[in-house]
Every structure is written in structure tokens, then in C-alpha cells.
Amino acid sequence: MKAPAFDFVKAQSIHEVLELMKLHGDDAQLIAGGQTLLATLNMRLSEPQLLIDITQLTELKGISQQGTVLRIGALVTHTEIENSELIQQYAPLLSVAAPHIAHRAIRNLGTWGGSIAYGDPAAEWPACSLALDAIMIVQGPKGERRIPAAEFFVDLYTTALNDDELLIATEIPLAPQGQVFSFQELARRHGDYAVAGLAAVAQRNGNSLNDPRLVFFSVANIPVLAKQTQALINQKPLSSEVLVQAVKMVRSEIETSADITNSAETKTHLVGVLFERAIKQMSA
Ligand SMILES: Cc1cc2nc3c(=O)[nH]c(=O)nc-3n(C[C@H](O)[C@H](O)[C@H](O)COP(=O)(O)OP(=O)(O)OC[C@H]3O[C@@H](n4cnc5c(N)ncnc54)[C@H](O)[C@@H]3O)c2cc1C
């Protein structure tokens, strides 16, 4: 199918974007890399009358270290993240997660901000941002808002972004010394969306993990933190008994839902499998 007819504006400033959004309301939609939006237009899942191209906005570009945080502009592409030395040094979880996103051509165009704003439950960046305790910086007519990742993903394809706001950047605390991480994803073929995934970080202390953050994705409507299981394993020597108990707990804690090809039971099983793999990797 072909996309319906629409008007197109290449915005030159955030101010212009906000004015256009105010003027056109629901009839306007932002376009960044277009790697999700163009498919939804072609399938006529959405029919905006105006596309506002934000790719010229320099404020939304680049990766930089700013004091104790790493700032990732909304327009930073998946490939830029994959290749960034700053990311490798200060948020290495993202470096290992990036190659799991689609294929090179899509990673060259698709953006961090597009993925975060779209809020696909099977996408890698929402889960990683929650694991890394990121802050989303959004701009709207009333100014800037800073929204923790834990409050940003609200429901299936629904985020805390208001219709008249855009995502500008994300701030991620710099990985502390001794941080260990694991990114686990099960997909039918490399580059496919995940059947189930886990983005995990912790502080390693001998055979224990301190302050683990375990985020499962593609198992429910939004990425989910395994809070009870985190508390169970926190600072505890990871004996095989503790691991067995934790696998049981994580499977009962994470409420999975089916997708079009996999049942909730399959996802619950995979939650335990990915958890065990991640814990073994981080504590080895
Ligand atoms: C075949 C295929 C396979 C894919 N596989 C994966 C995968 O495995 N994992 C994965 O995570 N993704 C996957 N994707 C999606 C890809 O990562 C997209 O690039 C990403 O989801 C959206 O980024 P984008 O820049 O292309 O956004 P766009 O398509 O331009 O926009 C997506 C949505 O976000 C909104 N938006 C964009 N930028 C902003 C902003 N700054 N502020 C507010 N709203 C904004 C748009 O209005 C639109 O609603 C796949 C895509 C394709 C086509």
C-alpha cells in the first residue's frame, strides 16, 4: 500500500516545531528517521496531514559527557550509538544492545528518540534506558520537563510525552567503576524484534551483585523492572540455591502477555532462562 497524501515541513528550530504542533494538533506528526513512521503510513495505520521533519534540529544531535551524565540527543542514530567511544566507556550496555536492533540500513537512519518516543514494548532502547535509570528531557509549549524512564513508558505504545511535546535528549548516569552488565535477547533471526529480552546492570562485589537493575522487554506492554527479584539477590552470595529461588521468583513476578506468535507461558519460561544467563554472566 502507499501512504496517503500529506504536507511536509523541514523544521529549522524547536520553536517552529512547537508552533506547528500547536497549529495542527492531531493532524501533524513528527518524523525523525522514518523507520517506523513510514511503515505505519504505508499501512495506513496513521494518516497525518502534515509531517514535521525534525532532522535539522542541531539541539537534538550528538552524544556528549556533561558532568556525571551522558547526554544522548534524540536524533542520534542507532549506528552512532553502536560506534560511539563515549557510549562504550560510560554506557556499555547500549554498545552491546545496538547490534540487536534490526539491520544496518535501519540502524543508519533510525534514531534513539524515535525509538523511545514510539514506546514499542519489543524495542531495545526503552528497556536499556530503564535499566540505566535514564531521564528523558522533553520540550513543550510550557517549557522543559525531565521524566525518569520509570515514569516515561506508560502502556503499549504510550509514553508520558504529551501530544504537543517532543523528546530532546536523554541523560544517563555515567557507569560507575565496577559496573557489570548483560544484554540478553532471544529473537527468531538476528535483527528481528525480540521474542523476549533482558537488559541488566549491577555492581559486582565478589560473588554478589549489588543494586541490580533487571529490565525485561517484549514480555509485557512496557519494559518491566523485576523489583522483588532484584531485592532477593541484592548483595547476596549467588549460590546455586539462591539462583534456583530467584529464577522461580522472577517467573512469578513478571506478568507476561502473549504476542501474535508466542504465548504468555512461553514468555514466562524465557524470563527465567534469560535471567539465569544474565546473572551467570554478570557474576562470572
Ligand atoms: C524492518 C524493521 C525492523 C526493525 N527492528 C527493530 C528492532 O529489532 N528493534 C527496535 O528497537 N526497532 C526496530 N525497528 C524500528 C527502528 O528502530 C526505528 O528506527 C525506531 O523505532 C524509530 O526511530 P525513527 O527515528 O525511525 O522514528 P520515526 O519512524 O521517524 O518516528 C517514530 C515515532 O516517533 C515519533 N518521534 C520521532 N522522534 C521523536 C521525538 N524526538 N520526539 C517525539 N516524538 C518523536 C514520531 O512522530 C513517530 O510517531 C525496526 C524497523 C524496521 C522497519
Side-chain angles (χ1 to χ4, degrees), residues 258-263 267:
D259 59 28
I260 47 170
T261 38
N262 300 281
S263 67
K267 300 222 178 203

Side-chain angles (χ1 to χ4, degrees), residues 32-93:
Q35 295 306 292
T36 295
L37 187 60
L38 291 180
T40 64
L41 293 183
N42 288 342
M43 289 188 277
R44 307 230 168 178
L45 296 174
S46 74
E47 301 198 10
Q49 318 224 314
L50 175 69
L51 288 192
I52 307 170
D53 181 335
I54 58 172
T55 56
Q56 295 300 301
L57 306 183
T58 46
E59 301 94 323
L60 275 59
K61 295 186 181 176
I63 302 168
S64 57
Q65 184 198 340
Q66 301 192 353
T68 58
V69 298
L70 199 60
R71 184 180 167 105
I72 304 177
L75 285 174
V76 169
T77 63
H78 309 319
T79 294
E80 284 178 283
I81 291 177
E82 194 174 350
N83 295 339
S84 162
E85 285 179 14
L86 276 176
I87 296 277
Q88 174 100 53
Q89 188 176 354
Y90 293 122
L93 176 71

Side-chain angles (χ1 to χ4, degrees), residues 138-152:
V138 311
Q139 181 98 35
K142 293 185 189 143
E144 187 181 290
R145 290 199 297 146
R146 298 170 62 84
I147 311 170
E151 293 165 22
F152 190 81

Side-chain angles (χ1 to χ4, degrees), residues 29-38 54 60 74 78 100-102 106 109-111 113-115 117-118 122-124 161 165-167 191-193:
Q29 199 149 10
L30 304 180
I31 181 163
Q35 295 306 292
T36 295
L37 187 60
L38 291 180
I54 58 172
L60 275 59
H78 309 319
H100 290 271
I101 301 177
I106 292 161
L109 290 170
T111 63
S115 174
Y118 192 59
E124 286 78 2
L161 263 178
E165 290 177 321
L166 75 156
L167 182 74
D192 281 4
Y193 275 105

Side-chain angles (χ1 to χ4, degrees), residues 97-166:
H100 290 271
I101 301 177
H103 305 286
R104 173 60 63 205
I106 292 161
R107 293 203 292 278
N108 284 346
L109 290 170
T111 63
W112 169 269
S115 174
I116 297 285
Y118 192 59
D120 188 321
E124 286 78 2
W125 292 153
C128 289
S129 67
L130 181 55
L132 297 174
D133 210 9
I135 301 281
M136 309 303 176
I137 302 171
V138 311
Q139 181 98 35
K142 293 185 189 143
E144 187 181 290
R145 290 199 297 146
R146 298 170 62 84
I147 311 170
E151 293 165 22
F152 190 81
F153 303 103
V154 174
D155 205 345
L156 199 61
Y157 302 108
T158 308
T159 70
L161 263 178
N162 292 328
D163 288 347
D164 55 1
E165 290 177 321
L166 75 156

